[in-house]
Amino acid sequence: MTENRVQIIIRTTDTERDQLKKKAQEKDVSMNQVILDAIFDSKDDSTSDSSDSKSDIKMIEILEGQLAKKDEQIEQMQKLLDQQQQLTLQTNQQIQHLQLEETKETEKKLEAFEEKEAKKGFLSRWFGS
C-alpha cells in the first residue's frame, strides 16, 4: 500500500533556505526530510521528555534510598569501630596490668633471692651450697 503524498509549500528567506540546505547536506538527507524530522521529532521529544522526566524522578528516588541505606551502614560501622577501639584499649590496659604484676613478682623473687644469699655465710657463698 502506498500512501498518498500531498505537497505543502512554505515560504522562507534565502538565508533560511541556505541553512536548511546546509543541514540537509550535513545529515545526508533531503531538505524535505530535515523539515519532517524537525516537525515530528519535536512532538516525539515532548512525549519522551515527560517519560524521561518520570524515569529521572524514579532514578533519583532509587538513588536517594540507596544513599539513606549507605548512611545507615556508615553509622553502624562507626559504632562498631568505636566498640573495637574501646575493646582494644581495655585489652592493652589488662596487658599493662599483667606486665606490672609480673614485674613486681620478679622483683620480689629477686629480693628474696638476695636476702637468702645475704644470710648465707661467707664459706657457703664461696663454695656454693
Side-chain angles (χ1 to χ4, degrees):
M1 261 180 134
T2 59
E3 292 184 35
N4 292 333
R5 296 275 183 170
V6 293
Q7 185 174 4
I8 299 173
I9 298 173
I10 60 169
R11 298 188 194 284
T12 65
T13 63
D14 288 336
T15 307
E16 291 171 337
R17 182 181 180 279
D18 291 341
Q19 289 175 348
L20 183 59
K21 185 175 183 179
K22 185 178 177 184
K23 282 187 180 184
Q25 287 173 344
E26 287 173 359
K27 294 183 179 183
D28 197 26
V29 294
S30 67
M31 292 191 309
N32 188 52
Q33 189 63 48
V34 171
I35 294 169
L36 289 172
D37 288 346
I39 293 170
F40 293 114
D41 284 348
S42 67
K43 285 185 178 178
D44 292 342
D45 286 346
S46 65
T47 57
S48 69
D49 281 347
S50 65
S51 67
D52 284 347
S53 117
K54 288 178 185 176
S55 173
D56 289 348
I57 290 170
K58 188 169 186 163
M59 183 61 72
I60 289 170
E61 289 172 355
I62 290 170
L63 292 173
E64 285 175 341
Q66 288 178 345
L67 201 60
K69 185 166 182 125
K70 295 296 177 200
D71 287 344
E72 290 173 14
Q73 290 173 342
I74 289 171
E75 185 178 333
Q76 182 67 23
M77 211 142 118
Q78 290 288 349
K79 288 178 184 178
L80 291 172
L81 181 61
D82 184 49
Q83 290 174 354
Q84 179 62 40
Q85 288 174 342
Q86 289 176 8
L87 288 172
T88 303
L89 179 63
Q90 289 175 355
T91 304
N92 286 340
Q93 288 174 343
Q94 288 175 349
I95 290 171
Q96 287 176 349
H97 180 70
L98 290 172
Q99 286 174 340
L100 183 62
E101 284 181 7
E102 185 179 338
T103 304
K104 286 181 182 178
E105 286 179 21
T106 306
E107 287 175 0
K108 285 181 184 178
K109 287 180 183 177
L110 183 61
E111 286 176 11
F113 178 74
E114 288 174 353
E115 283 180 19
K116 190 175 179 182
E117 287 294 313
K119 288 183 182 178
K120 285 186 179 179
F122 176 74
L123 290 177
S124 65
R125 272 186 276 161
W126 189 259
F127 293 110
S129 162

